[in-house]
Amino acid sequence: MNKSFLGSSIVNQFVCKLLFVCFILSNFYCHSQNNPTKLSISFSESKLKSALDSIESKTNYRFYYLENWFGDKTITKDFNNESIEEILKELCKNTQVNFYFFDDKKVIFTQNGIIYNELPTGFFIEVDNKDTISITSTKRISPPVFYAENKIQNKTILETVRIGKSDTNTAAQFFVLQGQVRIKKTGEPIPDLSIVSKDRGIGTVTNAEGNYSIRLPVGQNILKTSSMGIKGTERQVLIFNNGTLDFELEESLEMLEEVVVEADAAKNVEEAITGTTQIASEESKNIPLVLGERDILQVAKALPGISSAGEGATGFNVRGGKTDQNLILLDDAVIYNPSHFFGIFQALNPFTTKGVEIFKGNIPAEYGGRLSSVFDIETKDGNLDKFSGEASVGPVTANLALEIPLTKEKSSLVFGARGAYSDWILKSLDEESLNNSTASFYDGIIKYNNKVNESNDVRATGYFSRDAFSITSDSIYNYRNRGFSVRWDHKFNDRNTGSLILANSQYKFNIDYDGESNNDFRLGYSIDETEIKLKFNYFLNNKHTFSYGIASKLYGVNPGFIYPEGNESAIQSLSIAKEKALESALFVSDEFKITDKLMVDVGLRYSFFAALGKSEQRIYEDGVPRNEGSIIDTVQYGSNEIIKTYGGPELRASARYFLKPDLSLKASFNNGYQFIHTLSNNTTVSPIDTWKLSDTNIKPQRGNQYSLGLYQNLKENIYELSLEGYFKTSKDVLDFKTGAQILLNETIETEVLQGEGKSYGIELLLRKNKGRLNGWLAYTYSRSLIKFDSEFSEERINNGEFFPSNYDKPHDISLITNYKFTRRYSISANFVYQTGRPITYPIGTYQFNNAEYVYYSDRNEFRIPDYYRLDLGVNIEGNHKIKKFAHSFWTISVYNVLGRNNPYSVFFVTEDGGVKALQSSIFSIPIPSITYNFKF
């Protein structure tokens, strides 16, 4: 018998039977449509079950459903002579329930799915005489979803979740699932958590707010969640349409066994943005640092492209940029000086700090005002379930953090405090001038978080820090930071979220002088800023995710004042005129997944800056050097009058291309404006450095950055390898004339030089994320060069040629390792090597008018000796019993094990008719410490 004929016969018989079934169903459907009963009825906060009961009592219709399908949903609406079908559509509008008219007056409700009264066009195949199968392509309807109830995975019955409801008007084969992931007990969002559809090979990662979005095919999907420190889960998810699924996950009881917390090991390869780094606070737990103090910002300096001018130096130099080119945020509020104790300690409580995300390549469009980097530091949300805390006692500091539930599973409070008892350490430093000094500091933070409902979260943070130190017996220096922020996060729907942020920051310092002469005084400075930001996120589809918003901040600067202290003081009062400015921006960005291999992240920011009065601006004569003698006019501006405006577009663009599934190539470009500058003639950041706003005589800094890199993960994400190069240019960078007077200078623009800069480098990072031995090796080769040229010799440095900046250190190597012997015992090591920073040396003497003078080299022509240091630590955890009041942790460390006398600075003295070079060091001997931590 002909096989083709047999096959056709079987198919035809099957078709005939199915057509008969469809015919019967169609008759039922048509019969029901011939009886479109009209009804007038009103509902007021009626539960849907009660509404259906009311319709049944007023008509001959009977409804078949399960009560739990409708939950507690209610309806308030008046229907006037409406058909039963229209009324039922309105009742089911915001549910996952469909309905079907059957056998005249019967209505069958279904959860998620649809009862079909006809088979989709193209359901059958036609077999021609040539054994060729052809499929007729016409309009398709949403296909039925089939699945195995309570699917068993490894003998475990998975929870089944149904998402959305089928719609006969769509033929889509993929839908979007969105939601938020939180810790069950605390309600704290979980960032960087991996969500993967095991049977589909599709995955995504939660963002900083714990939100996620994933595009899944219709039907059954097995979703698996995973993150370090979080219990993994699996769920069977049935996709019928777009919808929302939130996760509440439990923390793992297992202690972290690695230095590096692996939240999402593949993120570095998959994301489009270049030059980003996330550091969890736990990463500083096992790293030996000075005096046993955890310091997330010191950990950041061990990563490629981030350094400082030297040991004990405040601030960061990121990819060859100045220290003032970094935007440091604590819960959205700017922190101007994030350090204590001359830069040795961070001004952040390590127990209340959740982590920091660093952007040093392509900076997202929502951030602006700085050229080099953004340090976005986030504080922990409080425990919503139970009272808990953490504390430590070390040789110099003591820390305390408390998490206090206010309303269970809804709101909580985090409180943190730190204090120092550090005078004894100053007496041990290898610096005679510091032996009789005193220093102390403290900081406090409080954070309130409230999960108002499923769509609204409110967070408020208050922060304060203060340092006081005395280098000599007659002077007391103190400086302080203040920060406050309120954030309201709102979820409009599955595709749209928004945040409203209000923040205020202040930095100020004072010097009180009380000497034996009649020159007692009080000197001070302050800067204050208030910002409001409104930003939105819109998930259009699986290819486009938009972020957009508006931000504006108001600056107020008191450039300095000095007042006499006491009636006998000869000091004359002086107060520099206050400065005021408004900085605003509009921004929009799109993360565009072009193909499975190619993704781009393109953003545009338009920045606007206006210097405001009340102010007095000086006009200088053209064609001559700028000094007090070249002032030709002075212009007065009234209160809030616009003095000068600057601004322009800032492009933020980056792209990622997968060369292999675990190997990606990334490239980026961004440009920016910076309207605020530090005034300092020190090599390192000083607590008494001041900030200056741009005006008619000082232009804003501008910069461009290009970067290109390769990123790869090896052996199932155990190893992470990245190689990234960059090139940066900048214009109107500030420096100062030799011998410039910075403090209390009414004509500070006469001491300022503005020039151009360039920096370039290559960064290598090899990181091991798992196993007994873990850590990372970072190497950076970089150059940072600046140029100040002018037609006037007094405004020209090094003949107008490029020369190394103060923070140009070509070679920088960091090695962080941790070896875990058991779950309780581990050892850690930290090794750092850096090229010595540039310095200007005296190279000779000359005679003039019978006096001898020193002749100096070109600026930064020489270098101080190279810097290297080895630190070792032993970490001992208490037993891991769950039912105990507190879990303890001991850290025993030695800072600078080799006793390397690394120079902090080099200075010159005249001795026996000659010039002699001397160096000062911060820690020239090994510094042991022991710290006790406990958590309850």
Side-chain angles (χ1 to χ4, degrees):
M1 183 179 292
N2 187 283
K3 293 182 179 180
S4 177
F5 175 80
L6 178 61
S8 299
S9 175
I10 293 172
V11 170
N12 288 334
Q13 291 180 40
F14 178 69
V15 169
C16 290
K17 292 178 180 179
L18 285 177
L19 288 175
F20 177 76
V21 173
C22 291
F23 176 75
I24 297 300
L25 291 175
S26 298
N27 280 336
F28 282 137
Y29 179 78
C30 294
H31 186 66
S32 68
Q33 293 303 304
N34 290 331
N35 297 278
T37 301
K38 301 287 186 177
L39 180 65
S40 295
I41 192 169
S42 297
F43 302 110
S44 177
E45 293 295 324
S46 300
K47 290 190 175 182
L48 297 188
K49 180 185 181 304
S50 299
L52 292 175
D53 291 343
S54 298
I55 296 174
E56 281 188 323
S57 66
K58 295 178 180 294
T59 67
N60 294 325
Y61 282 90
R62 292 296 173 263
F63 303 133
Y64 300 91
Y65 58 91
L66 295 179
E67 293 184 14
N68 61 1
W69 288 353
F70 295 104
D72 294 326
K73 292 185 180 297
T74 61
I75 183 171
T76 299
K77 190 165 184 177
D78 297 327
F79 297 95
N80 184 23
N81 199 30
E82 296 281 353
S83 68
I84 296 296
E85 182 177 9
E86 290 301 320
I87 295 174
L88 293 182
K89 283 182 179 180
E90 190 65 30
L91 289 175
C92 297
K93 185 176 181 180
N94 295 315
T95 71
Q96 294 187 354
V97 177
N98 285 308
F99 60 90
Y100 176 76
F101 287 91
F102 178 76
D103 193 17
D104 195 10
K105 299 292 185 179
K106 296 178 181 178
V107 179
I108 299 175
F109 289 84
T110 60
Q111 187 181 30
N112 307 104
I114 294 175
I115 295 178
Y116 292 88
N117 59 11
E118 63 179 0
L119 295 174
T121 304
F123 182 85
F124 299 107
I125 59 175
E126 298 178 359
V127 182
D128 59 23
N129 292 330
K130 296 181 181 179
D131 295 335
T132 301
I133 297 176
S134 62
I135 300 176
T136 304
S137 178
T138 58
K139 181 182 178 181
R140 303 174 60 191
I141 63 175
S142 181
V145 173
F146 301 101
Y147 66 97
E149 186 70 37
N150 292 330
K151 182 170 180 178
I152 296 178
Q153 294 281 323
N154 299 325
K155 300 183 180 181
T156 299
I157 297 178
L158 300 182
E159 176 189 357
T160 299
V161 182
R162 297 170 175 84
I163 301 296
K165 63 180 180 181
S166 297
D167 185 353
T168 57
N169 296 319
T170 180
Q173 300 298 301
F174 286 81
F175 292 101
V176 175
L177 179 66
Q178 291 182 310
Q180 187 177 49
V181 185
R182 291 177 175 267
I183 295 175
K184 186 175 183 179
K185 285 189 175 182
T186 66
E188 185 177 353
I190 305 174
D192 299 324
L193 177 130
S194 174
I195 301 176
V196 177
S197 177
K198 291 177 60 178
D199 42 356
R200 307 288 188 177
I202 303 171
T204 189
V205 176
T206 57
N207 64 13
E209 286 77 38
N211 297 318
Y212 75 92
S213 178
I214 186 171
R215 187 170 177 261
L216 295 172
V218 171
Q220 179 179 274
N221 293 266
I222 305 299
L223 291 190
K224 179 180 179 181
T225 65
S226 62
S227 177
M228 181 64 69
I230 302 297
K231 284 186 177 180
T233 62
E234 289 190 16
R235 293 187 188 181
Q236 180 176 237
V237 180
L238 304 179
I239 299 295
F240 295 85
N241 211 314
N242 297 326
T244 300
L245 176 61
D246 294 330
F247 291 86
E248 288 189 338
L249 305 181
E250 295 181 354
E251 292 182 281
S252 173
L253 295 178
E254 194 172 317
M255 299 296 290
L256 293 174
E257 296 188 2
E258 286 85 19
V259 172
V260 182
V261 177
E262 181 199 14
D264 174 49
K267 185 177 181 180
N268 65 306
V269 176
E270 294 174 349
E271 66 180 358
I273 295 179
T274 64
T276 64
T277 302
Q278 295 82 33
I279 307 174
S281 184
E282 285 288 335
E283 293 196 37
S284 61
K285 178 179 178 180
N286 292 330
I287 298 177
L289 295 171
V290 63
L291 299 170
E293 179 78 4
R294 294 192 201 181
D295 194 329
I296 196 172
L297 299 181
Q298 290 294 335
V299 174
K301 293 180 184 179
L303 295 170
I306 305 175
S307 63
S308 63
E311 190 169 50
T314 303
F316 307 96
N317 301 109
V318 179
R319 291 190 167 181
K322 294 181 63 179
T323 53
D324 67 352
Q325 294 177 351
N326 307 304
L327 179 65
I328 300 175
L329 301 173
L330 177 62
D331 288 349
D332 302 303
V334 175
I335 302 298
Y336 280 91
N337 188 343
S339 68
H340 286 306
F341 203 36
F342 317 109
I344 295 174
F345 301 116
Q346 67 177 14
L348 305 170
N349 191 313
F351 299 142
T352 61
T353 302
K354 181 178 180 180
V356 58
E357 186 166 18
I358 303 171
F359 301 94
K360 57 188 173 77
N362 188 58
I363 299 175
E366 71 168 283
Y367 300 108
R370 301 294 191 275
L371 296 185
S372 288
S373 73
V374 175
F375 285 67
D376 190 4
I377 304 167
E378 184 181 0
T379 305
K380 294 178 180 177
D381 286 339
N383 193 317
L384 295 175
D385 185 58
K386 64 179 182 179
F387 176 80
S388 61
E390 191 168 2
S392 71
V393 178
V396 174
T397 62
N399 301 328
L400 174 67
L402 300 175
E403 299 183 36
I404 308 167
L406 300 178
T407 303
K408 192 169 184 178
E409 298 183 355
K410 186 174 182 180
S411 64
S412 68
L413 203 64
V414 170
F415 170 77
R418 298 166 71 210
Y421 32 87
S422 50
D423 288 349
W424 70 269
I425 196 171
L426 287 171
K427 302 183 185 303
S428 67
L429 297 178
D430 186 19
E431 177 62 52
E432 184 178 350
S433 62
L434 299 178
N435 291 157
N436 297 318
S437 303
T438 61
S440 64
F441 66 79
Y442 64 85
D443 60 65
I445 188 168
I446 187 168
K447 181 177 182 179
Y448 170 78
N449 66 286
N450 188 346
K451 187 178 181 181
V452 181
N453 52 43
E454 293 299 322
S455 299
N456 295 278
D457 289 278
V458 175
R459 294 177 175 86
T461 302
Y463 167 81
F464 183 81
S465 73
R466 182 180 185 273
D467 281 65
F469 59 93
S470 176
I471 302 299
T472 60
S473 60
D474 53 14
S475 300
I476 297 176
Y477 297 74
N478 68 79
Y479 63 93
R480 63 193 70 184
N481 289 285
R482 186 195 70 203
F484 175 77
S485 67
V486 178
R487 179 181 179 126
W488 171 33
D489 294 323
H490 178 69
K491 181 179 180 181
F492 296 95
N493 51 47
D494 291 343
R495 295 178 179 270
N496 292 273
T497 61
S499 298
L500 177 63
I501 300 166
L502 177 65
N504 173 265
S505 302
Q506 184 190 72
Y507 176 71
K508 64 190 303 183
F509 70 79
N510 292 295
I511 302 174
D512 292 301
Y513 180 80
D514 185 4
E516 296 180 357
S517 61
N518 59 344
N519 291 322
D520 300 343
F521 65 84
R522 180 177 179 82
L523 182 149
Y525 165 90
S526 67
I527 179 171
D528 187 282
E529 69 169 66
T530 300
E531 179 179 26
I532 185 169
K533 178 190 285 189
L534 184 62
K535 65 176 183 178
F536 301 93
N537 296 306
Y538 172 55
F539 182 85
L540 177 63
N541 52 43
N542 196 49
K543 290 184 176 294
H544 293 276
T545 301
F546 292 94
S547 296
Y548 57 96
I550 185 172
S552 185
K553 66 170 62 176
L554 181 67
Y555 292 102
V557 179
N558 183 345
F561 63 85
I562 186 170
Y563 301 137
E565 286 284 298
N567 296 329
E568 297 181 358
S569 177
I571 296 295
Q572 297 295 315
S573 296
L574 174 64
S575 181
I576 308 300
K578 294 182 179 180
E579 300 177 9
K580 189 176 181 180
L582 181 70
E583 180 182 341
S584 303
L586 296 168
F587 58 88
V588 61
S589 65
D590 178 20
E591 185 179 81
F592 179 20
K593 185 178 180 181
I594 300 174
T595 68
D596 289 340
K597 289 188 175 183
L598 180 60
M599 176 189 290
V600 297
D601 192 307
V602 180
L604 183 64
R605 177 185 179 92
Y606 189 90
S607 295
F608 172 81
F609 177 88
L612 304 175
K614 189 177 181 180
S615 177
E616 180 182 275
Q617 296 290 303
R618 288 160 291 279
I619 309 299
Y620 292 86
E621 183 180 355
D622 292 332
V624 297
R626 182 181 293 177
N627 52 51
E628 293 187 12
S630 61
I631 298 175
I632 59 174
D633 196 9
T634 300
V635 180
Q636 302 289 336
Y637 293 89
S639 179
N640 295 322
E641 183 179 356
I642 295 179
I643 299 171
K644 179 72 174 179
T645 62
Y646 297 99
E650 303 177 26
L651 178 63
R652 315 289 172 84
S654 61
R656 180 267 292 151
Y657 183 79
F658 279 125
L659 301 175
K660 296 194 304 183
D662 61 351
L663 175 64
S664 65
L665 175 68
K666 299 183 188 180
S668 71
F669 168 79
N670 68 275
N671 71 294
Y673 290 84
Q674 179 169 328
F675 305 103
I676 187 169
H677 324 261
T678 53
L679 302 180
S680 174
N681 51 11
N682 297 312
T683 299
T684 61
V685 176
S686 165
I688 60 172
D689 289 345
T690 61
W691 292 78
K692 174 76 174 71
L693 300 175
S694 296
D695 55 23
T696 56
N697 294 307
I698 297 180
K699 300 177 182 178
Q701 302 176 57
R702 295 168 291 156
N704 300 320
Q705 181 176 186
Y706 310 81
S707 60
L708 180 69
L710 285 169
Y711 304 80
Q712 184 172 28
N713 285 4
L714 306 169
K715 291 190 176 182
E716 298 182 346
N717 299 324
I718 294 178
Y719 295 95
E720 175 186 325
L721 178 65
S722 65
L723 182 67
E724 186 170 334
Y726 66 88
F727 179 76
K728 294 171 64 175
T729 60
S730 54
K731 293 184 178 181
D732 295 316
V733 178
L734 260 68
D735 207 328
F736 298 91
K737 300 175 182 178
T738 303
Q741 174 60 40
I742 305 302
L743 206 56
L744 299 176
N745 190 331
E746 294 182 285
T747 57
I748 189 64
E749 62 270 13
T750 62
E751 305 284 2
V752 169
L753 299 177
Q754 288 195 277
E756 58 182 294
K758 65 179 180 180
S759 60
Y760 53 88
I762 188 165
E763 302 168 354
L764 172 68
L765 177 65
L766 175 61
R767 194 168 189 165
K768 187 173 185 288
N769 294 321
K770 300 177 182 179
R772 288 183 178 272
L773 177 65
N774 51 81
W776 68 84
L777 171 66
Y779 170 72
T780 304
Y781 174 78
S782 63
R783 297 304 310 271
S784 175
L785 308 172
I786 50 178
K787 182 173 77 170
F788 298 91
D789 197 9
S790 171
E791 59 182 307
F792 311 113
S793 60
E794 62 188 80
E795 297 180 351
R796 190 166 55 237
I797 300 177
N798 289 7
N799 297 318
E801 303 292 334
F802 277 103
F803 65 94
S805 66
N806 290 334
Y807 35 87
D808 175 60
K809 296 189 287 186
H811 300 283
D812 190 330
I813 300 174
S814 294
L815 176 63
I816 303 290
T817 60
N818 181 63
Y819 184 80
K820 196 85 171 179
F821 293 102
T822 67
R823 291 182 56 165
R824 293 184 59 193
Y825 299 97
S826 66
I827 59 172
S828 304
N830 175 26
F831 177 76
V832 180
Y833 169 84
Q834 296 174 345
T835 304
R837 62 174 175 80
I839 191 173
T840 304
Y841 279 177
I843 57 176
T845 60
Y846 63 94
Q847 298 286 332
F848 182 73
N849 288 338
N850 297 321
E852 186 175 63
Y853 296 89
V854 176
Y855 178 74
Y856 285 88
S857 67
D858 284 345
R859 186 180 294 191
N860 291 347
E861 184 178 352
F862 297 93
R863 293 183 181 274
I864 65 175
D866 292 351
Y867 177 97
Y868 64 84
R869 190 189 77 243
L870 174 66
D871 312 321
L872 296 177
V874 177
N875 312 296
I876 305 172
E877 295 188 14
N879 66 62
H880 291 172
K881 292 180 180 179
I882 297 175
K883 294 183 178 180
K884 58 185 299 187
F885 172 73
H887 294 268
S888 60
F889 179 84
W890 289 89
T891 299
I892 304 170
S893 64
V894 180
Y895 183 86
N896 193 15
V897 171
L898 303 177
R900 165 73 171 171
N901 189 14
N902 289 301
Y904 174 75
S905 66
V906 176
F907 58 97
F908 303 90
V909 296
T910 302
E911 192 173 287
D912 298 329
V915 178
K916 185 177 181 180
L918 301 176
Q919 74 175 38
S920 62
S921 302
I922 301 297
F923 297 106
S924 58
I925 60 173
I927 305 294
S929 66
I930 181 169
T931 303
Y932 176 67
N933 305 266
F934 59 97
K935 190 174 184 179
F936 56 91

